[in-house]
Amino acid sequence: MKNNTLMIILTVIIIGIASFGKYVEVNITESATSILENRLKPAPMISHIFDYYGTTLQDALTSSNTNIQNIQEQRENILLEKVKRDTLWSQYTSTYLVDSEAEMVKKVNLEMDELDKTVDFVLTSSDTVKIKSIITSDKFNADINTAMNDLNWLIDIQTQVGQEETVKMIILLGNFSNFMIGALSLAIIMLGSIIYSVLKRMNL
């Protein structure tokens, strides 16, 4: 095989490695950025929202000893945490959502709206009997637990999708590694042919 032909093959190999390498770099960067922005950052956001229901509301409104005075004392804290919840929820829902995640977000939106109406009534009403009836009802507690369960599902999906994206990156890196091994092996063979051809001519 002529040296010019060998050099052309080596050049093609180098271009192939560089092109595939750039493809891998772009995809890995996109996947890593997606995992960071759409999975790692949202997880603590959802966790804080979970705490709004699991800690703020449950501690303040579902105790059997809760009365109007206690509720009024907790009112400012509940409203402050609600503002934080709304901010975090808006930030989370603006990220990329997979289909099942988007469907769950719609469900949680409805649950949040329903609970907000109930909580608003509890915080503003002076009807002690009605308030006591609400906060001790099975429905109110069940609604909070349902919202918490669905929020917990959203936390879990972040891990699941993040793992899937990571597996894809590992597979892509593995394919690139195999391509590199094959390309470098072929390059070494081609280079050996060139060296052999040069040495043979020198001996002549």
Side-chain angles (χ1 to χ4, degrees):
M1 190 179 294
K2 294 183 178 180
N3 287 346
N4 287 342
T5 302
L6 293 174
M7 290 302 296
I8 291 173
I9 294 175
L10 285 173
T11 301
V12 170
I13 292 173
I14 293 171
I15 292 174
I17 292 174
S19 299
F20 195 16
K22 187 62 180 178
Y23 168 80
V24 171
E25 177 194 355
V26 170
N27 277 268
I28 292 296
T29 300
E30 289 179 352
S31 294
T33 301
S34 177
I35 290 173
L36 174 63
E37 297 297 330
N38 301 317
R39 303 303 153 201
L40 295 180
K41 288 184 178 181
M45 294 179 188
I46 306 170
S47 179
H48 191 91
I49 297 167
F50 179 95
D51 290 340
Y52 168 74
Y53 293 99
T55 302
T56 303
L57 289 189
Q58 283 197 326
D59 286 355
L61 303 181
T62 62
S63 170
S64 59
N65 297 320
T66 297
N67 54 45
I68 295 295
Q69 182 180 349
N70 292 338
I71 290 174
Q72 290 305 315
E73 290 174 354
Q74 293 293 327
R75 183 176 186 276
E76 185 176 346
N77 181 57
I78 292 172
L79 293 176
L80 180 62
E81 289 300 319
K82 181 178 180 296
V83 171
K84 293 179 182 177
R85 182 211 68 179
D86 291 343
T87 300
L88 292 172
W89 184 249
S90 177
Q91 291 175 351
Y92 161 59
T93 54
S94 67
T95 64
Y96 171 73
L97 307 174
V98 298
D99 291 342
S100 59
E101 186 179 13
E103 288 301 314
M104 180 59 77
V105 164
K106 291 179 182 178
K107 182 173 183 290
V108 173
N109 271 325
L110 296 175
E111 294 165 355
M112 285 182 172
D113 289 343
E114 188 64 28
L115 279 167
D116 283 349
K117 292 176 184 177
T118 303
V119 173
D120 287 345
F121 176 83
V122 170
L123 295 180
T124 58
S125 176
S126 59
D127 187 339
T128 305
V129 175
K130 182 65 174 177
I131 291 175
K132 192 72 172 179
S133 173
I134 289 173
I135 63 179
T136 58
S137 68
D138 291 338
K139 182 181 185 307
F140 184 55
N141 285 273
D143 288 348
I144 290 179
N145 287 331
T146 297
M148 289 169 58
N149 288 335
D150 290 342
L151 286 166
N152 194 53
W153 186 92
L154 288 174
I155 294 173
D156 289 342
I157 198 68
Q158 308 311 309
T159 302
Q160 179 185 328
V161 175
Q163 288 176 340
E164 291 172 357
E165 288 294 321
T166 301
V167 168
K168 290 178 182 178
M169 285 195 294
I170 293 173
I171 291 174
L172 181 58
L173 285 172
N175 291 337
F176 180 64
S177 177
N178 292 333
F179 174 80
M180 283 285 292
I181 292 172
L184 289 175
S185 297
L186 182 58
I188 290 171
I189 293 173
M190 295 295 100
L191 183 60
S193 297
I194 293 174
I195 294 173
Y196 174 78
S197 179
V198 171
L199 292 177
K200 187 176 180 180
R201 283 202 304 271
M202 288 177 62
N203 290 334
L204 291 176

